Structure formats: structure tokens, C-alpha cells
């Protein structure tokens, strides 16, 4: 497998404008993604196009501009905030004489850095292998040293055929291991169902404050930082709610627009926890000017994993930054639709606990 983006790399970022809304917000997010991967942003190259160039995505003139930025800043990686085809990536690397990374590879690299649990690491590796399979050239024979006895090259077999066979065996091994973890999670879900404990999942755009809220509610001490995808592994804790008893609350991986489909597929077993929840707390960064688009991106992922019908309460987080007051908004049926809170200061958390208590009592009475 190709090496990940080394921490401390000097990068030139590329984002092209195809006339879609939210260009500035996407560029800000792109900078955060690059920083989260540990790279130093030396320059940003942008430009307008009607459509991607078939050979280099950016076009000949823009590639010359990018090459000049690479030389000027002595950059060793160029990162596109777009998905490149294998051919476009190879052409760009030949023209620029440095490594070229697309948005999908960047996100996969961040996930690889953040995964801590054994199954989380397996899911990330599977996603990386499935994505990079289309970019196979050479250099995959190290997989034969992986535990599991992957075989050696057969007589007369070309290197690329060997690489594909080794990759296929590794993918099959990872899928089998992940199925075991999926069965274990299914057992735990059945146990929770039998005990009639309310299962709550925190969902939301990356860096919306889910882990901070999780810690504020449960005192769990889960890792939280002002980074994109600060935590990946699902963490669950029991939480006692006055007047309602115990509930189980889970912190899940953050979503992002254009989330690579390889990650959605590889994390299917983990994301299934969200689809099986009784209630979703959709955490929103209320101070973000891009919050509506972020909410739409989260809803799109929820739909793709079969969780769009799970009841939701919108948690309007970071009111300390948006100057909003703590409070509750009801829907047309008189049910709580939104709670305004600050996970950082604790404002409004009592209202959120009351909302959870109401949902727990409702589940107990059904």
C-alpha cells in the first residue's frame, strides 16, 4: 500500500470553481482537512472551469500554474479538493513531478491516522484498499507478509496480476474479520432491546461538537479536539437521567459532504448502530455559516445507511459562539424538535436531558 501523507508535508492545495454554491466555505473546510492530515499549506491554487479536463482535471494552463507553485514553495505534495480518476492522477504526477492526492485519498488518510480500535483500523484499511485497487501499479507484494498466509506469485504471473491477487486476498480477510465484529455488535443490540433501554446516537457534521457534547453528558472523557474527524471509533456509555432511568448514548464518526463511498461501505457495520438507534441527536454547529449545507450532507449519509426514518432531535450546539439563547423549539405536534445548547459552557444541557427523559419514558410506555 502506498505510504500515507507524512506529517509535516508541504502541500499546494487545488480547488476549482465549477459554479456551485458555497465555494468559500468548501475552501475553508479543505484547509482544515489538510491541516488535520498534518500538512503545512504552502499555497492555494484556484480557478474557474465549466467542467473538469479529461486528462489532468485542471487543464494545461492551470497545471503550469500549479507546477510553478510547487517549485516556488518547494512543495512535495499537491492535494485536490476533488475526486481524480486514476489516469488524471498519473498524468498530474508526471507533469508536476511530485505526489498528487485527491479528496478521497486525503479523507482516507485522516481516518487512518485517527482510528484507534482494532475494528476501526480494519475498516479504514479495507476502505483504503478498495479505493486504491483502481490505482494499482506495483508495490503491493508487502501484503504477503501480513498475518493470514497470503500466497506468493505463481509461475509466469505478472507483477500486476500478483498485486491484484494479494490485494484481493487481503480484502477478503478484512471483510471476514469485520463480519465477526458485526455479529458481536448485533448481540449487544439485541441485549439492549430486551432491556428496553433507550438507545441514542449522536450524529452530525465533523467538528460540530459531538464528542464535547458526549463528554458533557456522560463525563466519559472521550477525545475531543478542534479538528476534522478528531474521533472515529464509536464509544457508548450508560447515562442516568433523573425521572427516566438509564439510557445508552453513543458517539459516532462525524460526517462530511462528499464522504467517500468506500468509507460508507467499510464503516457500514459501525454506522448500522446509528440506523438501529431509537433516537438520533443531530448535532449542528450553529455558528457555522455553512450549517444548512452541513445538515443536508448529514441527512444524505443517514439516508444512505437506512437511518433517515429514525426520530431526530436537532441539537443547536455552540450557542456561546452564535450568541443564541438556550431554549427549546417544538414541532407542529408539540414535540421537541430542536434544543439550543453549548456543550462547551453547559448552557441548555438541562433542557436536553429533559428531552431525553421524555423520549425514554415514551419508549418505556410503548
Amino acid at each position: 500500500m502506498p505510504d500515507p501523507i507524512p506529517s509535516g508535508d508541504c502541500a499546494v492545495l487545488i480547488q476549482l470553481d465549477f459554479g456551485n454554491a458555497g465555494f468559500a466555505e468548501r475552501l475553508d473546510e479543505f484547509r482544515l482537512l489538510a491541516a488535520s492530515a498534518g500538512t503545512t499549506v504552502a499555497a492555494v491554487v484556484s480557478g474557474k472551469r465549466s467542467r473538469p479536463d479529461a486528462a489532468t482535471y485542471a487543464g494545461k494552463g492551470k497545471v503550469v500554474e500549479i507546477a510553478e507553485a510547487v517549485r516556488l514553495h518547494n512543495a512535495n505534495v499537491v492535494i485536490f479538493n476533488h475526486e481524480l480518476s486514476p489516469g488524471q492522477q498519473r498524468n498530474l504526477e508526471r507533469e508536476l513531478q511530485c505526489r498528487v492526492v485527491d479528496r478521497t485519498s486525503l479523507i482516507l488518510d485522516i481516518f487512518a491516522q485517527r482510528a484507534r480500535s482494532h475494528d476501526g483500523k480494519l475498516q479504514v484499511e479495507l476502505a483504503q484498499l478498495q479505493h486504491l485497487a483502481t490505482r494499482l501499479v506495483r508495490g503491493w507484494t508487502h501484503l504477503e507478509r501480513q498475518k493470514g498466509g497470503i500466497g506468493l506469485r505463481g509461475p509466469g504471473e505478472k507483477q500486476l496480476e500478483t498485486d491484484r491477487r494479494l490485494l484481493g486476498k487481503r480484502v477478503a480477510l478484512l471483510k471476514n474479520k469485520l463480519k465477526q465484529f458485526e455479529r458481536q455488535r448485533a448481540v449487544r443490540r439485541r441485549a439492549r432491546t430486551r432491556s428496553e433501554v433507550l438507545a441514542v446516537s449522536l450524529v452530525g457534521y465533523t467538528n460540530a461538537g459531538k464528542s464535547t457534547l458526549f463528554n458533557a453528558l456522560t463525563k466519559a472523557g472521550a477525545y475531543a479536539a478542534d479538528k476534522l474527524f478528531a474521533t472515529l471509533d464509536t464509544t457508548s456509555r450508560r447515562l442516568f437521567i433523573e425521572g427516566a432511568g438509564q439510557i445508552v448514548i453513543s458517539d459516532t464518526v462525524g460526517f462530511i459532504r462528499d464522504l467517500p463511498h468506500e468509507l460508507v461501505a467499510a464503516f457500514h457495520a459501525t454506522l448500522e448502530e446509528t440506523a438501529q438507534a431509537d433516537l438520533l441527536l443531530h448535532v449542528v454547529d450553529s455558528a457555522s455559516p455553512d450549517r444548512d449545507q452541513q445538515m443536508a450532507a448529514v441527512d444524505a449519509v443517514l439516508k444512505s445507511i437506512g437511518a433517515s426514518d429514525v426520530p431526530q432531535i436537532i441539537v443547536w450546539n455552540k450557542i456561546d459562539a452564535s450568541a443564541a439563547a438556550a431554549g427549546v423549539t417544538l414541532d407542529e405536534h408539540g414535540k421537541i424538535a430542536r434544543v439550543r445548547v453549548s456543550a462547551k459552557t453547559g448552557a441548555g444541557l438541562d433542557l436536553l436531558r429533559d428531552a431525553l427523559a421524555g423520549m425514554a419514558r415514551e419508549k418505556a410506555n410503548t
Side-chain angles (χ1 to χ4, degrees):
M1 185 186 307
D3 294 331
I5 302 170
S7 179
D9 262 1
C10 182
V12 173
L13 307 186
I14 315 299
Q15 176 166 309
L16 302 178
D17 184 358
F18 296 103
N20 299 321
F23 179 84
E25 289 78 11
R26 286 174 179 263
L27 182 56
D28 289 341
E29 180 181 275
F30 185 28
R31 288 178 179 270
L32 279 175
L33 278 172
S36 297
T39 62
T40 299
V41 177
V44 176
V45 176
S46 60
K48 290 188 176 182
R49 287 189 64 88
S50 58
R51 61 183 181 274
D53 179 74
T56 62
Y57 197 90
K60 291 182 179 180
K62 190 59 64 175
V63 170
V64 171
E65 183 182 343
I66 296 168
E68 290 175 352
V70 169
R71 286 192 295 270
L72 178 63
H73 298 281
N74 196 28
N76 59 347
V77 62
V78 170
I79 307 176
F80 275 71
N81 195 24
H82 309 279
E83 186 168 354
L84 302 175
S85 71
Q88 289 168 337
Q89 184 176 350
R90 288 193 295 270
N91 293 336
L92 285 164
E93 289 183 338
R94 183 171 58 249
E95 294 288 335
L96 300 174
Q97 292 297 299
C98 71
R99 186 175 180 198
V100 174
V101 174
D102 67 0
R103 177 182 173 86
T104 296
S105 296
L106 175 62
I107 294 175
L108 289 172
D109 186 83
I110 296 171
F111 270 57
Q113 294 181 41
R114 300 285 190 270
R116 293 291 178 268
S117 68
H118 183 53
D119 57 334
K121 291 178 180 179
L122 292 180
Q123 289 174 111
V124 172
E125 183 183 354
L126 176 60
Q128 286 180 313
L129 293 181
Q130 290 174 327
H131 174 65
L132 294 172
T134 61
R135 288 155 168 79
L136 262 181
V137 282
R138 292 182 64 89
W140 293 77
T141 50
H142 71 282
L143 290 171
E144 69 195 28
R145 298 193 296 273
Q146 297 281 0
K147 191 174 181 180
I150 294 177
L152 300 174
R153 177 167 52 163
E157 191 173 28
K158 293 182 180 179
Q159 182 66 56
L160 185 57
E161 293 169 345
T162 300
D163 293 344
R164 285 176 174 152
R165 183 167 58 85
L166 294 174
L167 175 60
K169 287 186 177 182
R170 182 63 180 168
V171 166
L173 177 65
L174 292 173
K175 286 183 175 180
N176 286 335
K177 288 184 177 180
L178 289 172
K179 283 182 180 178
Q180 296 175 13
F181 285 110
E182 188 171 359
R183 286 194 291 268
Q184 293 170 7
R185 279 188 285 265
V187 170
R188 291 196 292 269
R189 282 198 299 270
R190 286 195 294 270
R192 287 201 300 265
T193 301
R194 286 196 298 269
S195 65
E196 296 184 347
V197 174
L198 181 73
V200 180
S201 282
L202 295 174
V203 299
Y205 207 78
T206 183
N207 212 32
K210 295 185 311 303
S211 294
T212 302
L213 179 62
F214 181 75
N215 289 335
L217 290 172
T218 67
K219 314 299 181 186
Y223 179 68
D226 188 18
K227 296 179 180 178
L228 301 187
F229 305 116
T231 53
L232 292 186
D233 301 308
T234 299
T235 304
S236 298
R237 293 288 186 275
R238 284 186 175 267
L239 174 64
F240 179 79
I241 299 290
E242 187 70 33
Q246 298 280 354
I247 70 172
V248 173
I249 187 166
S250 299
D251 185 20
T252 61
V253 61
F255 300 152
I256 196 170
R257 60 167 63 90
D258 304 323
L259 189 67
H261 67 273
E262 294 92 351
L263 274 175
V264 175
F267 275 74
H268 177 75
T270 300
L271 295 174
E272 196 175 55
E273 292 281 324
T274 299
Q276 298 295 327
D278 298 306
L279 174 68
L280 303 181
L281 295 183
H282 183 165
V283 184
V284 178
D285 179 357
S286 64
S288 172
D290 201 29
R291 59 182 180 244
D292 291 339
Q293 290 74 23
Q294 292 175 356
M295 292 175 69
V298 172
D299 287 337
V301 176
L302 292 175
K303 183 177 181 180
S304 73
I305 62 174
S308 57
D309 293 332
V310 179
Q312 278 192 33
I313 292 178
I314 303 297
V315 180
W316 208 244
N317 192 27
K318 302 187 182 182
I319 59 172
D320 54 299
S322 62
V328 171
T329 301
L330 304 180
D331 63 17
E332 63 272 19
H333 305 293
K335 293 188 175 182
I336 294 176
R338 178 179 297 176
V339 183
R340 299 184 296 278
V341 308
S342 170
K344 182 179 179 180
T345 67
L349 292 186
D350 55 335
L351 300 174
L352 182 57
R353 291 189 183 94
D354 289 343
L356 291 173
M359 293 296 295
R361 288 192 294 267
E362 185 176 318
K363 177 179 172 63
N365 293 330
T366 57

